[in-house]
Amino acid sequence: MRYAILLMGAPYSHQASHSALRFARALLARGHRLEAVFFYHDGVHNAARLAAPPQDEPHLVDGWAALSREHEVSLQVCIAAALRRGLLDEREAARHGKEGSSVAAPFELTGLGQLIDLGTRCDRLVTFGP
């Protein structure tokens, strides 16, 4: 079965991010395909390159990046929600005259059209949020 995940919860302020990552790993372990994770609303903070949680806590940004590398899962971040919250990739930073970028690789800024596309292509779109 082909899945996509919509994540709207910020890491460390709600259980949604941690639960979504565990759900993603569980469905992949059962042989399903995870097409993409779409980060929306405060969920865009999961893409923050400068996140540095204490060492005794799970590093959710690194967890999503590892999942993407290991299973070729696309990590898509809503560009409008990200820009409102100060998350910019190199291209958007240059376009808005900001120094430095704050979106970690392999996360990529995309639009809501990508979310609609996932909803039409996948068998299940599972939402995690506060």
Side-chain angles (χ1 to χ4, degrees):
M1 190 169 283
R2 296 170 58 184
Y3 282 85
I5 292 175
L6 169 62
L7 178 52
M8 299 191 296
Y12 310 111
S13 62
H14 192 270
Q15 184 64 33
S17 298
H18 190 75
S19 296
L21 183 58
R22 290 177 55 113
F23 177 79
R25 290 212 173 270
L27 73 90
L28 290 166
R30 291 181 180 241
H32 298 289
R33 170 91 179 127
L34 179 58
E35 294 287 326
V37 180
F38 192 91
F39 300 89
Y40 192 44
H41 289 269
D42 285 341
V44 299
H45 290 292
N46 284 277
R49 182 174 60 87
L50 301 176
Q55 292 180 350
D56 61 341
E57 293 181 15
H59 196 301
L60 293 171
V61 178
D62 288 352
W64 287 115
L67 181 85
S68 176
R69 278 191 312 274
E70 294 164 10
H71 300 282
E72 299 179 359
V73 175
S74 174
L75 303 177
Q76 302 174 5
V77 180
C78 174
I79 189 169
L83 293 178
R84 282 188 196 103
R85 291 163 176 83
L87 290 165
L88 301 93
D89 62 9
E90 291 180 13
R91 188 180 71 191
E92 291 300 319
R95 188 165 80 92
H96 292 281
K98 303 290 185 182
E99 292 183 21
S101 62
S102 53
V103 173
F107 293 88
E108 59 179 319
L109 297 181
T110 63
L112 287 176
Q114 297 297 319
L115 176 60
I116 293 168
D117 182 56
L118 286 171
T120 60
R121 286 189 298 120
C122 295
D123 300 309
R124 299 282 187 270
L125 174 63
V126 182
T127 301
F128 291 85

